[in-house]
């Protein structure tokens, strides 16, 4: 079968032939229909310092997908051939303290598909049935199903704190940041303000219904307070950019007792003004991945209740055009980029 592989240490990926994956008694085999390109995949393609430390070659990359089950292992129950699925990309040990307590998202031995183990940028992918999420919504598109992983990041972050009738600041208008802003807005926030440096991405956010955006390269966030009738600062912050400057600014713009959920991963150490955190009694909570599978239930329920995230997908390519797809995904101006494997 064809797969997109980091064949050796260094920049670039190679589309090559690899053996079909083996299906164990507790596994399912999925025919891949669509895949989404994540920022992690871009890091691996560029072979930046994070990738150099984390990824061993050869490695099939990718972790965002939708597909159809074509084979199930002899011990599998609850998943059948023909099911339309996505999958939780974190493999957990099942035996650590968190796993035994039913908190699999906190597993200390987590391995990620597409970087720790082989991933989904391939015609077929085998994974444990316990990681499979079956889509029961007949109106769900292949494309949207393929981005349940990053949508889950957005939902997990946006649900950390109550946003009903609150003023919410979201920093970072990448696809996950936009989806987090949409979720906060859908939950009934009084105002959601989304900040970024990219006018293209802020324009995309506005086209999807995010009314208040601030290009912090051109405008001061504090000057925006009057437009939303806010005096003391934001109640909830969702830091999605990984920018040290964005986190520092967010801390400065929170009201006393404000709560920050941080998903964006910095590429270097961040210095914080702990005096402000302490004396303003702020809460900063780190977030990664999704609650397995509670966040997945929330995602499905939000979509079935009317939340529309389809517009965050801006570009679609056939997998054979992966070089162009990765260029677009890494340019800092696009929304979500999808690759088709079934056409």
């Amino acid at each position: 079968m064809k797969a997109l592989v980091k064949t050796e240490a260094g920049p670039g990926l190679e589309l090559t032939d690899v053996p079909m994956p083996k299906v164990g008694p507790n596994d399912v085999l999925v025919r891949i229909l669509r895949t989404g390109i994540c920022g992690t995949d871009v890091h691996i393609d560029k072979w930046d310092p994070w990738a150099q430390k984390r990824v061993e070659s050869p490695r099939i990359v990718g972790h965002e997908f939708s597909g159809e089950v074509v084979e199930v292992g002899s011990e599998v129950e609850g998943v059948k051939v023909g099911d339309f699925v996505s999958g939780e990309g974190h493999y957990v040990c099942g035996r650590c303290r968190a796993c035994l307590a039913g908190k699999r998202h906190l597993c200390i031995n987590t391995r990620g598909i597409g970087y720790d183990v082989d991933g989904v940028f391939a015609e077929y992918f085998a994974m444990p049935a316990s990681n499979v999420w079956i889509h029961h919504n007949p109106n769900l598109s292949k494309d949207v199903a393929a981005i349940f992983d990053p949508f889950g990041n957005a939902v997990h972050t946006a649900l950390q704190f109550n946003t009903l009738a609150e003023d919410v600041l979201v920093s970072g208008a990448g696809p996950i940041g936009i989806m987090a802003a949409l979720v906060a807005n859908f939950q009934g926030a009084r105002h959601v303000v989304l900040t970024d440096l990219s006018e293209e991405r802020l324009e995309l956010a506005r086209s999807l219904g995010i009314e208040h955006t601030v290009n912090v390269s051109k405008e001061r966030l504090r000057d925006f307070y009057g437009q939303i009738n806010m005096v003391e600062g934001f109640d909830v912050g969702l830091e999605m950019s990984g920018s040290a400057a964005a986190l520092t600014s967010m801390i400065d713009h929170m009201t006393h007792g404000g709560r920050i959920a941080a998903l964006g991963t910095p590429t270097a150490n961040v210095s914080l003004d702990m005096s402000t955190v302490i004396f303003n009694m702020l809460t900063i909570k780190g977030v990664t991945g999704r609650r397995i599978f509670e966040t997945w239930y929330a995602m499905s329920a939000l979509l079935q209740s009317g939340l529309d995230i389809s517009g965050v997908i801006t570009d679609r390519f056939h997998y054979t055009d992966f070089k162009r797809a990765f260029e677009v995904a890494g340019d800092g101006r696009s929304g979500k980029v999808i690759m088709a494997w079934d056409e």
Side-chain angles (χ1 to χ4, degrees), residues 148-160 175-181 183-184 238 240 263 289-290 295 299:
F148 255 52
D149 180 295
F151 180 38
N153 294 149
V155 171
H156 190 196
T157 308
L159 295 185
Q160 290 298 316
I176 298 177
I178 292 175
M179 288 189 287
V183 172
L238 308 178
M240 317 298 284
L263 178 87
R290 298 144 298 279
T295 304
M299 287 187 270

Side-chain angles (χ1 to χ4, degrees), residues 251-258 274-283:
I251 289 171
D252 289 340
H253 288 90
M254 301 302 293
T255 190
H256 283 211
M274 287 303 297
S275 294
T276 299
V277 173
I278 292 167
F279 286 106
N280 291 3
M281 295 167 285
L282 304 181
T283 297

Side-chain angles (χ1 to χ4, degrees), residues 30-46:
V30 178
R31 181 172 72 92
I32 299 298
L33 302 174
R34 301 283 193 277
T35 55
I37 298 179
C38 176
T40 301
D41 304 318
V42 175
H43 291 315
I44 296 172
D45 176 42
K46 293 182 177 179

Side-chain angles (χ1 to χ4, degrees), residues 30-159:
V30 178
R31 181 172 72 92
I32 299 298
L33 302 174
R34 301 283 193 277
T35 55
I37 298 179
C38 176
T40 301
D41 304 318
V42 175
H43 291 315
I44 296 172
D45 176 42
K46 293 182 177 179
W47 202 238
D48 68 7
W50 175 88
Q52 294 172 32
K53 292 181 198 177
R54 188 65 182 266
V55 181
E56 295 182 1
S57 58
R59 176 70 69 219
I60 301 173
V61 297
H63 55 273
E64 302 175 8
F65 76 97
S66 65
E68 179 186 2
V69 175
V70 294
E71 182 182 342
V72 298
S74 58
E75 300 298 320
V76 171
E77 297 180 357
V79 184
K80 65 183 185 301
V81 171
D83 281 343
F84 178 44
V85 300
S86 298
E88 170 56 54
H90 290 152
Y91 291 168
V92 300
C93 72
R95 295 302 306 169
C96 69
R97 176 180 175 183
C99 284
L100 292 174
K103 302 174 182 178
R104 290 187 286 171
H105 63 293
L106 299 177
C107 175
I108 199 169
N109 300 309
T110 298
R111 295 180 299 156
I113 65 175
Y115 43 98
D116 294 323
V117 298
D118 282 338
V120 303
F121 286 172
E123 293 181 287
Y124 292 89
F125 176 65
M127 78 183 318
S130 58
N131 278 66
V132 168
W133 179 262
I134 302 172
H135 296 293
H136 297 289
N137 181 357
N139 298 317
L140 186 66
S141 72
K142 299 174 187 177
D143 289 357
V144 171
I147 63 169
F148 255 52
D149 180 295
F151 180 38
N153 294 149
V155 171
H156 190 196
T157 308
L159 295 185

